[in-house]
Amino acid sequence: MIIKTQRVYLNEFSIKLPGRLLVLPTMMIVLLFGVVDAQSRPDTLFFKDRLQPISEENIFSTEGYYNWGPSIIKGDDNRYHLFYSRWKKAYKFTGWLTHSEIAHAIAKHPEGPYKFKETVVKGRGNGHWDAITAHNPKIKYFDGKYYLYYISTNLGEQDYTENDLIETAHTGYEHPNWAILRPNQRTGVAVAESLNGPWKRMENPLIEPSGPITTLTVNPAIDRGSDGRYYLIVKGDKPNEKRFIRNQAMAVSDSPTGPFTILAEPVIDYLDTEDMSLWYDSTRNYFYGVFHAHSFIGMVSSSDGKNWKKATEFALMSKKLVMKDGTELIPDRLERPFVHVEHDEPRVLAMAMKKGDAASIIFRPIAPKPKYPLPNERQLAWQQAEMGAVFHYDLHVFDREAYGQANNRIDPVKDYQIFNPSALNTDQWVKAAKDAGFTFAILTATHETGFALFQSAVNPYSMKALNFQEGKGDIVRDFVTSCRKYGIKPGIYLGIRWNSFLGVHDFEVNGAGEFKKNRQRWYNHMVEGMVKEICRNYGELFEIWFDGGADSPANGAPDVLSIVQQYQPNCLFYHNKQLAEARWGGSESGKVNDPCWATFPYYSTGAGESAPARIAENNFQLLKEGDPNGTYWMPAMADAPLRGYNGRHEWFWEPGDEDHIFPLTDLMEMYYGSVGRNATLIIGLTPNAEGVLPEPDVNRLKEWGDEIRNRFGRPLAQLENGGLKGSISFDRPTRIDHVVLQEDIRKGERVRKFRVEGLIDDKWKVLTRGENIGHKHIARFDEAKVRRLRYVIEAQTLAPIIKKFEAYFVGHK
């Protein structure tokens, strides 16, 4: 596992310069070889996993009205003021273009419940740019004044009556007036010294379309940057585009009332989006914007307000809502996202929702940022899974030659038609993993040859090209189906860093100049397409593993994180330069160090010999041990091939290699040194050229699973939900030689030091000591006969929550 390191982030507070480490204040920029790179500083606003379920109190509606376009501000009265659009249901939903007004509601809490107070702004009537409607507001406070940004439209010189507007609303998009009203939409602003008004409007629109947008300027969002300038996002039509696609454009001014200059480059032009909401985060020195696309609510970020990229958390949520009672609310439309922020921390994600003939505003609470790192649901499930398999399968399994990684990365397989597993049986693979006690399994859908073990529409070097199964085979499909059959969670390994067939090495295609540039663009597009195929075509996945770590798109690599987030929101992402939800355990021995903390000082890792210096030093000690004071939750993976005994280390099948299957005693040592040390163990398994897992491997896996179950299948006694101390009593002196402790890691790793004691001949004797418990700590010690057994937490960061304390007797094993 190695990763190319062009740009190194040792953490949010330090930079790596040639030959030395320089620690800087948080707000200082990160330098790349002494050159300022505005986009290199990462955004670390992680809040999507803190989005909470909603209740009825988080849904705001008013009788007889459609409600839309929320914007929240906290007033001097310590209340929360909601400015939003509304229009009478009598005008139908399309009445937003003809009859919308801006209203004001108040609540004690940002998530509601809100109570209507008053109508604030309406269309001013004929002769004004904002003659008809006031819609989609954004409320801001700058230098002692309140600014209410909104959109409106007019019918130009055309005379009209109220009945004409009602007819337009009832007819909708097909009415001739629609073709006038929509292009005349513009953004404006009203100013007041109080949230209660009076509101003074400008006589002209704030901004006209130019540059990356045409036709109209609508749905404004604005904030002030650290440079004192004002950054305004507006939406318009995409130029030179026959389809109905919108762009988001950035405009900059020295004043909140303009004049604004639209920048040449759009904020978003790579997908059709709407309804940007913008804020500047002074703590992280970053701009953030949320938007809605066709199927999800997303986020973009910028370190300077001008150059924007997909945020680390690009896909915040799909367009469905979870209620507190566990039911799902699936809207017909979910739009106009707005993040209410206080002290640079998101508090509420507000959205407009249409369901049937009702349009309401949803306030999704955001839990406070924890004072210490906690696992998200994906990480929690991954740690609780404890043991998994990774099946390595590729073209060179069939060449009957010894596998050599270095050559495999640069030498294409001479004839890919050698792929012909005559007895392919993924059920047999997965059942063997099940018998070993594994709860998840991963398949190498692509590895270093570049060959894809599935039906790909974007990669011609895939199973479509084979004579095998008449080009209709799909091992990923078969594998996932087998996993579901045996109750195993399926995962996928994607090797995108090397591709000997296409001449890709360390993410870069070979060649020079425009030839290389164009081929790199094509390769990145192909990889992104494959990731999308894997994410969309095979159901829910447990983990996606990019071996060696996928690089960052900021370095010219394929953009994979955003795809996984959008299409596999419950899948553990492992890993790239932007994010690692788990970490490599520092060796391929199947073991980690003791202690091994699930917390880590950095949000992502390098890998192998090219990892950042702080991570790579002392033979990857930081990866093996973690950091008890780490800022981020990033649990360890211990991995090893089953055929790694006696000087071998085989991730792929080789003929005549059975002597190198690890003995049972070694495998048990792996179990103790991984699962027993708060790490998740992943074992490499090697299907052969016939398409089955060799019988000796199957037998060894069954023996291993049986041994684990024999030792730890049934405790002699156990205690659940303990605190600083906990004890177990026996009816008579009882032999024990193992204890298992588990923390409730939903609340974090709180224990820093503990001991376990046994009552022997009426005296307490220390049986074992440790520092870290985490998800699971297994301690072995000399056999002892005890009447009572207790643990004592000697040091902790917060009140410890011991999920389980169990006693076992294994005996001579």
Side-chain angles (χ1 to χ4, degrees):
M1 295 185 177
I2 45 181
I3 191 160
K4 177 181 178 184
T5 305
Q6 294 179 343
R7 188 170 292 139
V8 179
Y9 310 114
L10 294 186
N11 59 26
E12 295 173 60
F13 310 98
S14 62
I15 61 174
K16 180 86 168 5
L17 296 176
R20 63 194 178 103
L21 171 65
L22 178 63
V23 178
L24 296 175
T26 308
M27 290 296 103
M28 293 294 283
I29 58 175
V30 176
L31 301 183
L32 171 60
F33 304 118
V35 179
V36 175
D37 181 355
Q39 285 302 100
S40 69
R41 186 176 72 255
D43 70 84
T44 53
L45 178 68
F46 298 111
F47 76 92
K48 77 171 185 176
D49 289 303
R50 293 188 274 127
L51 291 167
Q52 301 297 297
I54 63 170
S55 67
E56 292 297 329
E57 286 195 343
N58 304 132
I59 303 175
F60 174 71
S61 59
T62 49
E63 185 69 28
Y65 284 85
Y66 298 110
N67 301 278
W68 212 250
S71 181
I72 305 168
I73 194 168
K74 188 176 184 180
D76 292 336
D77 57 1
N78 214 32
R79 300 293 177 100
Y80 294 87
H81 296 257
L82 169 69
F83 290 80
Y84 65 102
S85 309
R86 71 173 196 167
W87 61 101
K88 290 182 179 179
K89 297 180 74 172
Y91 302 130
K92 297 190 175 181
F93 189 74
T94 44
W96 67 266
L97 188 62
T98 57
H99 289 85
S100 180
E101 63 185 22
I102 295 173
H104 179 193
I106 302 176
K108 293 181 180 179
H109 307 284
E111 67 273 18
Y114 282 88
K115 184 177 181 181
F116 170 77
K117 181 179 184 290
E118 60 187 344
T119 297
V120 174
V121 177
K122 296 183 177 182
R124 281 194 281 182
N126 217 355
H128 296 277
W129 76 268
D130 53 355
I132 300 170
T133 76
H135 192 57
N136 282 352
K138 285 290 189 307
I139 183 71
K140 297 297 293 187
Y141 179 78
F142 300 123
D143 297 331
K145 292 184 179 180
Y146 292 95
Y147 295 81
L148 184 62
Y149 297 84
Y150 65 99
I151 67 173
S152 186
T153 190
N154 60 75
L155 277 168
E157 301 299 322
Q158 177 178 316
D159 290 330
Y160 62 90
T161 65
E162 175 64 14
N163 285 337
D164 292 331
L165 295 180
I166 293 173
E167 180 185 312
T168 302
H170 285 179
T171 304
Y173 304 102
E174 302 302 320
H175 196 282
N177 285 343
W178 205 275
I180 303 173
L181 291 168
R182 184 182 181 274
N184 284 345
Q185 286 183 294
R186 293 293 184 272
T187 285
V189 63
V191 185
E193 294 185 357
S194 166
L195 285 169
N196 297 314
W199 296 95
K200 183 179 179 180
R201 306 196 216 185
M202 296 177 63
E203 290 303 318
N204 296 302
L206 200 61
I207 190 169
E208 293 294 327
S210 67
I213 58 172
T214 65
T215 314
L216 71 170
T217 58
V218 295
N219 297 351
I222 189 170
D223 210 348
R224 181 166 52 187
S226 61
D227 58 0
R229 306 191 77 193
Y230 295 85
Y231 293 79
L232 171 73
I233 289 179
V234 288
K235 181 186 76 173
D237 291 340
K238 191 170 185 175
N240 305 314
E241 178 62 65
K242 294 182 180 180
R243 298 169 298 170
F244 184 49
I245 295 180
R246 283 62 57 108
N247 264 7
Q248 308 286 346
M250 174 60 70
V252 183
S253 175
D254 292 326
S255 165
T257 57
F260 283 89
T261 301
I262 292 183
L263 303 181
E265 294 300 320
V267 173
I268 301 177
D269 69 346
Y270 42 82
L271 77 162
D272 189 21
T273 62
E274 290 199 68
D275 305 342
M276 285 284 292
S277 181
L278 165 75
W279 75 97
Y280 172 68
D281 185 319
S282 61
T283 298
R284 298 168 183 86
N285 193 18
Y286 243 90
F287 288 87
Y288 293 94
V290 293
F291 62 87
H292 92 83
H294 290 291
S295 61
F296 69 103
I297 305 296
M299 185 164 67
V300 291
S301 65
S302 172
S303 60
D304 61 7
K306 301 175 183 178
N307 300 286
W308 290 76
K309 61 182 181 179
K310 296 177 182 179
T312 304
E313 292 188 321
F314 175 65
L316 291 175
M317 58 174 284
S318 62
K319 289 192 173 183
K320 63 181 180 181
L321 297 158
V322 178
M323 304 295 290
K324 284 186 176 178
D325 63 5
T327 60
E328 282 189 350
L329 174 60
I330 301 178
D332 301 328
R333 298 173 64 167
L334 191 64
E335 303 177 7
R336 296 294 303 164
F338 173 86
V339 177
H340 174 67
V341 179
E342 293 184 45
H343 307 295
D344 289 333
E345 289 301 328
R347 292 283 307 277
V348 166
L349 173 58
M351 294 166 285
M353 179 187 75
K354 186 176 187 297
K355 180 74 172 175
D357 195 39
S360 308
I361 296 174
I362 304 296
F363 303 94
R364 190 167 181 188
I366 301 171
K369 181 181 179 181
K371 296 180 180 179
Y372 47 89
L374 300 175
N376 61 42
E377 290 298 320
R378 299 173 297 282
Q379 292 168 320
L380 183 67
W382 189 80
Q383 288 189 261
Q384 291 173 339
E386 295 190 355
M387 297 178 70
V390 56
F391 290 93
H392 281 71
Y393 212 43
D394 203 352
L395 293 175
H396 52 77
V397 167
F398 301 86
D399 63 12
R400 303 288 174 171
E401 297 178 7
Y403 168 68
Q405 185 178 72
N407 291 337
N408 197 58
R409 291 176 177 177
I410 61 175
D411 294 335
V413 173
K414 294 177 182 178
D415 179 11
Y416 56 83
Q417 296 298 349
I418 62 173
F419 189 98
N420 186 29
S422 58
L424 180 66
N425 189 344
T426 56
D427 274 5
Q428 186 249 9
W429 303 3
V430 174
K431 184 178 184 303
K434 178 80 169 182
D435 289 344
F438 300 161
T439 60
F440 66 100
I442 297 166
L443 173 67
T444 55
T446 62
H447 205 258
E448 293 161 350
T449 67
F451 187 79
L453 298 179
F454 60 98
Q455 292 285 313
S456 176
V458 296
N459 181 6
Y461 197 50
S462 69
M463 294 195 73
K464 278 188 173 182
L466 294 177
N467 296 329
F468 173 72
Q469 294 183 346
E470 299 180 333
K472 298 177 182 179
D474 190 322
I475 292 183
V476 170
R477 177 197 61 210
D478 297 343
F479 171 77
V480 170
T481 300
S482 296
C483 285
R484 303 201 196 286
K485 176 178 178 179
Y486 287 99
I488 296 291
K489 298 175 181 178
I492 295 296
Y493 170 121
L494 285 162
I496 63 174
R497 187 171 180 177
W498 293 277
N499 187 316
S500 60
F501 181 74
L502 294 176
V504 178
H505 191 80
D506 208 11
F507 299 114
E508 293 186 7
V509 302
N510 60 4
E514 287 299 310
F515 176 72
K516 177 176 180 177
K517 181 179 178 181
N518 292 336
R519 290 187 68 239
Q520 186 73 57
R521 185 184 300 114
W522 182 89
Y523 178 70
N524 288 356
H525 179 72
M526 185 196 77
V527 166
E528 291 160 6
M530 287 196 302
V531 175
K532 189 175 292 187
E533 289 173 332
I534 288 294
C535 287
R536 297 181 69 179
N537 296 345
Y538 299 97
E540 186 164 296
L541 300 173
F542 183 64
E543 175 180 355
I544 292 184
W545 176 346
F546 294 95
D547 186 35
D551 205 344
S552 168
N555 292 339
D559 180 8
V560 297
L561 174 61
S562 63
I563 297 171
V564 174
Q565 288 181 343
Q566 182 177 349
Y567 297 108
Q568 289 285 342
N570 300 320
C571 175
L572 184 94
F573 182 81
Y574 176 79
H575 61 110
N576 75 347
K577 287 280 190 71
Q578 298 163 287
L579 181 69
E581 292 189 306
R583 72 180 194 268
W584 179 49
S587 74
E588 293 184 348
S589 65
K591 300 177 184 178
V592 293
N593 288 0
D594 183 15
C596 177
W597 308 94
T599 48
F600 205 68
Y602 318 121
Y603 54 88
S604 68
T605 67
E609 63 270 17
S610 61
R614 172 74 169 87
I615 294 175
E617 66 187 14
N618 297 327
N619 195 24
F620 307 111
Q621 182 177 352
L622 184 59
L623 290 172
K624 295 173 182 177
E625 296 182 0
D627 182 350
N629 301 311
T631 305
Y632 303 97
W633 193 274
M634 192 191 295
M637 171 192 72
D639 62 333
L642 182 65
R643 296 186 170 207
Y645 180 62
N646 197 22
R648 295 298 289 270
H649 199 74
E650 301 303 336
W651 290 102
F652 289 94
W653 177 80
E654 301 285 354
D657 204 33
E658 285 74 15
D659 289 344
H660 301 288
I661 298 172
F662 273 113
L664 181 59
T665 53
D666 292 67
L667 294 174
M668 285 307 303
E669 288 303 310
M670 280 188 202
Y671 181 80
Y672 283 112
S674 56
V675 176
R677 293 179 180 170
N678 192 37
T680 297
L681 177 60
I682 300 181
I683 294 294
L685 302 181
T686 58
N688 64 20
E690 282 67 48
V692 295
L693 200 62
E695 201 62 29
D697 303 59
V698 172
N699 293 337
R700 185 56 43 83
L701 290 170
K702 178 68 165 59
E703 291 171 2
W704 191 15
D706 288 343
E707 184 63 23
I708 293 172
R709 287 183 284 270
N710 288 338
R711 293 192 189 192
F712 300 106
R714 181 178 298 176
L716 297 172
Q718 67 177 2
L719 171 70
E720 297 183 353
N721 302 319
L724 275 169
K725 296 180 179 180
S727 63
I728 294 171
S729 297
F730 298 93
D731 294 337
R732 63 183 66 85
T734 301
R735 294 187 299 169
I736 64 167
D737 56 11
H738 285 68
V739 294
V740 175
L741 293 104
Q742 291 185 266
E743 285 187 83
D744 183 356
I745 58 172
R746 289 179 183 272
K747 304 297 184 181
E749 289 181 330
R750 301 183 172 196
V751 175
R752 292 295 180 265
K753 190 176 181 181
F754 69 92
R755 69 179 186 271
V756 175
E757 300 175 330
L759 188 64
I760 303 171
D761 297 330
D762 296 325
K763 293 182 179 180
W764 287 105
K765 178 183 177 182
V766 175
L767 302 177
T768 185
R769 293 183 181 274
E771 297 178 48
N772 161 258
I773 295 176
H775 168 67
K776 180 172 284 187
H777 179 92
I778 301 175
R780 293 178 286 181
F781 43 84
D782 292 337
E783 177 184 325
K785 270 192 174 183
V786 302
R787 288 295 300 267
R788 291 181 62 195
L789 186 68
R790 71 183 182 188
Y791 71 84
V792 179
I793 307 303
E794 299 177 333
Q796 68 280 337
T797 56
L798 294 167
I801 305 173
I802 305 303
K803 183 179 179 180
K804 284 187 179 180
F805 175 48
E806 300 173 330
Y808 295 89
F809 178 68
V810 173
H812 66 281
K813 298 175 183 178

